[in-house]
């Protein structure tokens, strides 16, 4: 099988529906379409503990306490470079904690007050999931400032989480798949590929994803399919082998 259609989407829940158009290229011997799988990208949060070697601390300014690093030295910082679309900073809040400066790619994006009236041993202090997928650097700095009722300016860091892409396959037999009644396995030798030969017959699935690809096959006996995303028509795909392997929005 090959990717016969793919598209990028806003991250979230999306439905994709592949409908047999009942039409064909003049060079094709039939109108059938084939489905082998959907391949989609979702995002998962990956732990980066405070002891991760990739986290660069201004080392003399930070003290290690168990699984956390703490500092009250103004200007003390740590930074971490990652590839992805988001990042979280995890840490503690307490009565003696101060205000942090958070930078993404050398731009100040937030100041975070980590004071609390009672100890919060582990919490998300900063989070963004809106970064353009690619290479980024987060930097957290002790500002030396504090909430007026705080007894100190300490920052306590427990590490980070980075938002990473995850590729997943949805096979024809997956419970997430829906079919019209006229859809069936292509043949006994290829039970992992389903066919639709009647106009209006369809394959459908709803997924949490940021991109999706329809995996199928092309050859001279295949026809055309209409692709719908979130209920709206997006494209017509011709599965005749002479037209190449991928049509992409």
């Amino acid at each position: 099988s090959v990717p016969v259609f793919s598209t990028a989407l806003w991250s979230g829940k999306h439905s994709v529906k592949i409908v047999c158009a009942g039409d064909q290229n003049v060079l094709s011997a039939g109108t059938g379409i084939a489905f082998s799988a959907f391949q989609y990208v979702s995002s998962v949060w990956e732990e980066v503990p405070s002891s991760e070697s990739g986290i660069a601390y201004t080392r003399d300014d930070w003290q290690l306490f168990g699984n956390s690093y703490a500092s009250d030295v103004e200007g003390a910082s740590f930074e971490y470079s990652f590839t992805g679309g988001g990042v979280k900073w995890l840490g503690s809040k307490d009565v003696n904690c101060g205000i942090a400066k958070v930078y993404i790619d050398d731009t100040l994006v937030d100041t975070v007050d980590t004071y609390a009236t009672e100890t919060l041993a582990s919490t998300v202090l900063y989070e963004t999931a809106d970064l353009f997928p690619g290479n980024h650097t987060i930097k957290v700095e002790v500002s030396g400032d504090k909430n007026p009722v705080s007894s100190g300016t300490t920052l306590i860091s427990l590490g980070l989480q980075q938002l990473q892409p995850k590729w997943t396959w949805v096979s024809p037999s997956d419970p997430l798949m829906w079919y019209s009644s006229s859809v069936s396995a292509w043949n006994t030798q290829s039970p992992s590929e389903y066919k639709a030969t009647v106009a209006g017959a369809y394959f459908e699935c709803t997924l949490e994803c940021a991109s999706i690809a329809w995996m199928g096959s092309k050859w001279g006996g295949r026809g055309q399919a209409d692709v719908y995303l979130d209920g709206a028509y997006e494209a017509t795909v011709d599965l005749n082998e002479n037209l190449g392997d991928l049509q992409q929005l």
Side-chain angles (χ1 to χ4, degrees):
S1 65
V2 295
V4 295
F5 170 86
S6 70
T7 186
L9 302 162
W10 288 108
S11 182
K13 182 175 286 188
H14 298 281
S15 66
V16 57
K17 185 176 184 179
I18 312 299
V19 182
C20 179
D23 204 355
Q24 66 197 82
N25 184 280
V26 292
L27 300 176
S28 177
T31 61
I33 64 172
F35 171 80
S36 298
F38 284 123
Q39 187 181 35
Y40 69 96
V41 175
S42 56
S43 297
V44 295
W45 288 104
E46 180 181 275
E47 296 285 342
V48 183
S50 60
S51 58
E52 166 66 39
S53 60
I55 300 179
Y57 296 91
T58 52
R59 185 65 62 179
D60 294 340
D61 297 332
W62 294 84
Q63 291 183 302
L64 178 62
F65 297 96
N67 64 343
S68 67
Y69 278 88
S71 178
D72 61 358
V73 178
E74 183 176 351
S77 67
F78 66 84
E79 61 181 68
Y80 178 71
S81 296
F82 62 97
T83 300
V87 66
K88 294 180 183 180
W89 170 38
L90 310 178
S92 301
K93 289 187 172 186
D94 214 333
V95 295
N96 66 331
C97 287
I99 294 174
K101 294 180 179 179
V102 180
Y103 298 82
I104 298 292
D105 300 331
D106 296 323
T107 298
L108 179 65
V109 293
D110 204 357
T111 55
V112 180
D113 188 349
T114 66
Y115 166 78
T117 56
E118 58 185 23
T119 301
L120 297 176
S122 179
T123 189
V124 176
L125 298 174
Y126 173 80
E127 176 181 358
T128 179
D130 298 326
L131 301 176
F132 185 83
N135 298 323
H136 300 282
T137 298
I138 181 173
K139 177 181 177 182
V140 176
E141 181 181 307
V142 179
S143 71
D145 295 328
K146 66 182 184 70
N147 188 301
V149 294
S150 177
S151 62
T153 61
T154 299
L155 296 186
I156 303 172
S157 179
L158 294 168
L160 303 163
Q161 292 181 354
Q162 55 188 358
L163 194 59
Q164 296 291 289
K166 177 184 178 182
W167 286 94
T168 305
W169 286 75
V170 180
S171 68
S173 60
D174 195 290
L176 292 171
M177 292 299 305
W178 291 85
Y179 302 99
S180 60
S181 58
S182 56
V183 171
S184 62
W186 195 268
N187 55 55
T188 55
Q189 285 74 42
S190 183
S192 62
E193 187 171 59
Y194 278 34
K195 66 177 178 180
T197 57
V198 178
Y202 64 87
F203 323 107
E204 186 172 13
C205 190
T206 298
L207 303 164
E208 288 278 351
C209 61
S211 70
I212 192 166
W214 162 29
M215 310 299 292
S217 59
K218 292 187 173 189
W219 57 284
R222 301 288 164 90
Q224 296 177 346
D226 294 327
V227 180
Y228 294 82
L229 292 173
D230 300 327
Y233 169 79
E234 289 290 337
T236 295
V237 178
D238 197 319
L239 299 177
N240 183 273
E241 64 177 354
N242 298 319
L243 298 181
D245 288 338
L246 175 64
Q247 295 192 19
Q248 183 172 18
L249 286 182

